[in-house]
Amino acid sequence: MATTNKSVAQFLENIATYMRLAGENDFRSAAFDKAARLVETMDSSIEQFIQNGNLTDIKGIGQSIANDITSFSETGTAPVLEALKEKVPNELIKWLDISGMGPKKIYKIHKELGITTLEELKVACDDGRVAALAGMGAKSAEKILKSISWMEQFAERCRLDEAEAIAYRFKDLLKGMSGVKRIELAGSFRRKLETIGDIDVLIAADENAVQTIFDAFTTHESIVEVLGKGDTKSSVRVQEGRQVDLRIVAENEFDAALMYFTGSKEHNVVMRQRARDRGMALNEYGLFKLTESGETNFEERIPVYSEDEIYKALGLAWIPPELREDFGEFGSFEGDSSINLLNESDIKGVLHAHSTYSDGSYSIEQMALACIERGYEYLGLTDHSQTAAYAGGLNEKAVYKQWKEIDALNEKFAKEGVSFRIFKGIESDILANGDLDYSIDVLKGFDFIIASVHFSLEMEPEKMLERFKRATENPYTRIVGHPTGRLLLKREGNPFDMNALVEFAAEHNTAIEINASPWRLDLDWRYGRKAEQVGLLSSINPDAHDIEGIDDIRFGVAIARKARFTKNRILNALRADELKAWFENK
Ligand code: DGT
Ligand code: CA
Ligand code: CA
Ligand code: ZN
């Protein structure tokens, strides 16, 4: 991977943080902080200096830090950082996640009270020891406790990408075992909820294989605790902190169980009622007739053995798992009616990606080649705009340079007969008053513009809506980026009236992206019905900062399905020429 200004800055900041956690001399850590800011904001690429061996030509970088940077670019770390990591207890690193706790404060509490774990910290906040420290007081102790409980609440769920890694690990482990007939992931993971509580695995297996399967499950090396082990269900906790439930059923009960454990609870409630209304009982074992007194008659199984057949027996077409939230799906799938949801294979190109021009890790050409390799037909490159200095935003000069590079690459593709094109885009900051971040002369040179808010996120909701509206009606804005600004399980988004923006964007022929990064998944799928009603267009945007990031598109497609999008309302399901025409039509 290329060494970017951003990655070097992060590395240097990391050293400064560790130094403070280790209680080292303030001047030293401050020097690393200063160097980090310097590298992050300088307008040339640090990689050039590394290659030329003249890092010390940069004013403010001395020989020692230059050596650390060189070592980082060669090995991904440096001896100074590794030594610090030996010194600082691992438990203390967790304290950094407590909002409002900086490394200096952490070191002070750790040192003076002789405590290292979160539990010890909670007790010390409770019993007054933290409050008694110089410069702390009762208010600070209370604030720390509140932040810890906030943090722990978040820790009860995880992002979709984290859940996916755990879920696939167990699916891979178990699917090939002898006696396993079928295996599916159920629960909120199958429904593709944006955050996941626990992971549910369902298996149909021969009865004599059940114990061996449970044994393999509960002894996997990634497990830290077995929470329960029975004849049909076992639960474990994995090292990432998540719970995983495995249920094993007989083959003829698999589909009813899959439907039941896919949920949601709210969806199941409606399904059970529909069964009752038709003289039947639906449960995790199957669909049964009712006795005369209205009890489930387990002797009289209705012969339906797939989800498809169960839905049909209840007067519905098969409902895709992503929609099973009792959020309007019953109305849309009544009888034979259904929605032909977007599929991953409908996606023709990649919009919203960053290169080394701003805070991405790869060159434009590397990103383009990665798109080609994945079978995409175009890349809409959108580095950050000039106000986003912290992310290496492009000044006008850099924009012109980038356009030249893109023209040259497009020419090269054409000459080589490669049917692929790069669109000149920018992720323009939306300034506080709703303006875009360049003069009109520059704005009109882009093929398309994504307009995003990156600062003053905490604005009054009414003012924020106005800010977004100004940017949305701007003739150069084609797509609004990550509208709430949320970072899942970390930062709440701005609570402005999203329905109003969805309506406004549709009226002004401007799309709102579904940011496919598992940190964002923003537009939230809950606005999907409004979007459908007003005909809002969207685009499944990976917001890729590196090559792997491109593959986040799968999360975005899942959320788009949850939001009821069909491919005719998705921009990057268009072919390159169609998309270009749409870009030009505002
Ligand atoms: P999560 O784990 O919080 O992200 O959400 P889910 O939906 O995966 O919930 P979970 O793991 O508690 O249960 C999985 C599914 O099993 C759930 O979506 C529906 C079904 N289920 C579990 N408990 C109940 C229940 O008490 N009543 C009904 N109707 N369904 C249940
Ligand atoms: Ca679950
Ligand atoms: Ca569960
Ligand atoms: Zn952004």
Side-chain angles (χ1 to χ4, degrees):
M1 189 159 99
T3 305
T4 63
N5 291 38
K6 174 112 188 237
S7 66
V8 171
Q10 252 165 12
F11 161 74
L12 295 171
E13 261 168 42
N14 212 0
I15 295 177
T17 301
Y18 267 96
M19 281 182 164
R20 295 199 171 97
L21 284 174
E24 289 198 2
N25 184 317
D26 230 21
F27 291 113
R28 275 198 77 203
S29 54
F32 278 94
D33 259 343
K34 218 174 125 206
R37 268 196 308 277
L38 205 79
V39 171
E40 197 159 24
T41 54
M42 66 191 229
D43 55 12
S44 41
S45 164
I46 188 87
E47 203 172 17
Q48 301 261 281
F49 289 92
I50 297 170
Q51 272 164 16
N52 298 338
N54 62 344
L55 280 163
T56 50
D57 286 356
I58 305 170
K59 204 166 159 266
I61 303 245
Q63 190 57 55
S64 157
I65 289 183
N67 290 344
D68 296 333
I69 294 176
T70 309
S71 159
F72 171 71
S73 89
E74 283 163 1
T75 67
T77 184
V80 55
L81 182 59
E82 291 311 299
L84 283 163
K85 282 187 173 169
E86 291 282 309
K87 237 170 120 177
V88 176
N90 249 331
E91 279 282 324
L92 273 196
I93 306 298
K94 292 189 195 158
W95 294 25
L96 285 168
D97 290 334
I98 306 171
S99 95
M101 280 278 261
K104 267 169 90 171
K105 203 191 264 182
I106 293 173
Y107 172 73
K108 183 180 158 139
I109 298 175
H110 157 71
K111 180 84 190 301
E112 295 191 12
L113 299 180
I115 58 176
T116 26
T117 68
L118 267 182
E119 280 311 310
E120 288 170 326
L121 176 60
K122 275 201 266 186
V123 175
C125 285
D126 248 343
D127 66 16
R129 275 178 295 153
V130 170
L133 291 174
M136 294 296 293
K139 269 232 176 79
S140 310
E142 207 175 291
K143 226 183 115 202
I144 294 174
L145 272 182
K146 226 168 118 192
S147 300
I148 294 179
S149 101
W150 176 246
M151 182 178 110
E152 286 180 336
Q153 194 185 322
F154 276 164
E156 283 170 15
R157 305 189 70 79
C158 71
R159 294 188 316 268
L160 208 40
D161 57 325
E162 297 171 308
E164 183 187 69
I166 300 166
Y168 287 179
R169 177 195 306 156
F170 286 102
K171 193 172 175 187
D172 286 346
L173 169 77
L174 302 171
K175 72 180 178 204
M177 285 191 69
S178 102
V180 173
K181 304 269 203 230
R182 293 179 65 187
I183 179 165
E184 290 285 351
L185 299 164
S188 51
F189 182 76
R190 184 163 181 239
R191 300 198 313 280
K192 298 296 184 275
L193 203 57
E194 69 276 19
T195 66
I196 304 295
D198 66 18
I199 290 147
D200 302 282
V201 188
L202 185 68
I203 283 180
D206 294 332
E207 213 177 329
N208 58 15
V210 170
Q211 271 321 308
T212 330
I213 299 167
F214 275 137
D215 287 344
F217 175 62
T218 53
T219 56
H220 187 264
E221 58 180 9
S222 71
I223 281 164
V224 292
E225 193 184 356
V226 177
L227 302 163
K229 201 171 167 189
D231 292 338
T232 58
K233 178 185 171 185
S234 174
S235 297
V236 299
R237 187 166 307 285
V238 294
Q239 63 205 10
E240 293 91 340
R242 298 261 69 72
Q243 182 178 324
V244 184
D245 293 341
L246 170 64
R247 294 181 180 84
I248 306 184
V249 301
E251 208 178 355
N252 70 334
E253 292 172 347
F254 185 82
D255 285 277
L258 178 60
M259 178 182 257
Y260 182 88
F261 292 113
T262 296
S264 66
K265 264 182 205 154
E266 294 74 15
H267 179 89
N268 288 355
V269 167
V270 178
M271 290 292 280
R272 271 203 308 273
Q273 188 55 47
R274 290 186 74 106
R276 291 216 143 252
D277 293 346
R278 290 164 176 76
M280 297 179 275
L282 176 67
N283 56 40
E284 58 186 287
Y285 307 104
L287 191 59
F288 301 90
K289 284 200 177 139
L290 291 175
T291 62
E292 268 169 31
S293 56
E295 311 272 297
T296 306
N297 186 349
F298 281 97
E299 305 288 296
E300 292 238 37
R301 176 186 284 279
I302 315 245
V304 285
Y305 295 103
S306 66
E307 282 194 335
D308 204 66
E309 288 173 355
I310 298 174
Y311 276 105
K312 201 155 183 203
L314 301 185
L316 295 161
W318 181 78
I319 301 180
E322 295 91 336
L323 294 183
R324 300 182 193 174
E325 302 287 352
D326 190 20
F327 217 69
E329 69 272 27
F330 292 104
S332 309
F333 287 76
E334 193 71 44
D336 290 330
S337 46
S338 71
I339 309 175
N340 197 0
L341 298 177
L342 178 76
N343 286 302
E344 252 183 270
S345 57
D346 295 327
I347 302 298
K348 301 274 191 305
V350 177
L351 302 180
H352 199 162
H354 299 261
S355 74
T356 45
Y357 271 81
S358 66
D359 59 350
S361 305
Y362 292 87
S363 69
I364 302 175
E365 183 169 21
Q366 285 173 316
M367 290 300 277
L369 291 175
C371 289
I372 293 170
E373 202 176 290
R374 286 161 174 73
Y376 293 118
E377 298 173 11
Y378 50 86
L379 164 65
L381 190 77
T382 54
D383 274 307
H384 284 286
S385 63
Q386 54 193 353
T387 292
Y390 61 90
L394 276 57
N395 60 25
E396 287 191 13
K397 216 174 116 201
V399 169
Y400 293 131
K401 184 170 165 225
Q402 182 171 75
W403 287 351
K404 263 199 186 155
E405 186 172 333
I406 292 176
D407 284 337
L409 282 167
N410 279 335
E411 261 170 50
K412 191 174 136 212
F413 292 139
K415 212 179 283 167
E416 290 168 353
V418 179
S419 150
F420 186 85
R421 66 175 297 163
I422 305 172
F423 289 112
K424 295 170 192 154
I426 195 85
E427 184 181 13
S428 169
D429 258 75
I430 301 176
L431 306 183
N433 64 2
D435 281 351
L436 297 183
D437 203 11
Y438 295 104
S439 68
I440 287 185
D441 275 347
V442 180
L443 291 176
K444 67 184 184 201
F446 291 107
D447 290 321
F448 76 111
I449 289 173
I450 297 178
S452 304
V453 164
H454 290 117
F455 65 91
S456 297
L457 288 154
E458 314 229 310
M459 208 173 233
E460 283 290 315
E462 291 77 20
K463 279 179 74 182
M464 187 60 118
L465 176 59
E466 277 314 304
R467 183 179 178 188
F468 267 110
K469 281 185 171 176
R470 292 293 76 77
T472 301
E473 67 188 355
N474 188 304
Y476 299 104
T477 300
R478 298 317 277 119
I479 303 174
V480 173
H482 47 68
T484 75
R486 74 181 178 191
L487 293 178
L488 287 167
L489 304 178
K490 197 165 174 192
R491 180 176 83 202
E492 305 273 4
N494 187 294
F496 71 88
D497 182 353
M498 192 62 71
N499 284 313
L501 183 65
V502 166
E503 211 164 289
F504 189 87
E507 271 168 28
H508 289 80
N509 190 25
T510 301
I512 300 181
E513 77 175 7
I514 288 178
N515 191 295
S517 160
W519 284 91
R520 295 187 181 272
L521 302 175
D522 180 16
L523 187 70
D524 188 287
W525 60 269
R526 291 165 189 82
Y527 299 103
R529 280 189 300 182
K530 181 70 178 182
E532 184 181 50
Q533 215 181 70
V534 299
L536 178 80
L537 302 177
S538 188
S539 176
I540 312 304
N541 291 354
D543 198 353
H545 286 75
D546 48 36
I547 286 170
E548 303 77 59
I550 297 171
D551 297 322
D552 284 349
I553 283 180
R554 69 186 182 282
F555 300 117
V557 169
I559 293 299
R561 288 170 62 84
K562 226 170 159 53
R564 307 164 66 96
F565 276 93
T566 49
K567 76 170 182 184
N568 61 327
R569 286 195 292 126
I570 296 296
L571 294 181
N572 57 335
L574 294 174
R575 316 222 77 114
D577 286 342
E578 298 168 327
L579 182 60
K580 186 171 161 33
W582 187 84
F583 282 153
E584 287 163 3
N585 171 32
K586 184 168 179 179

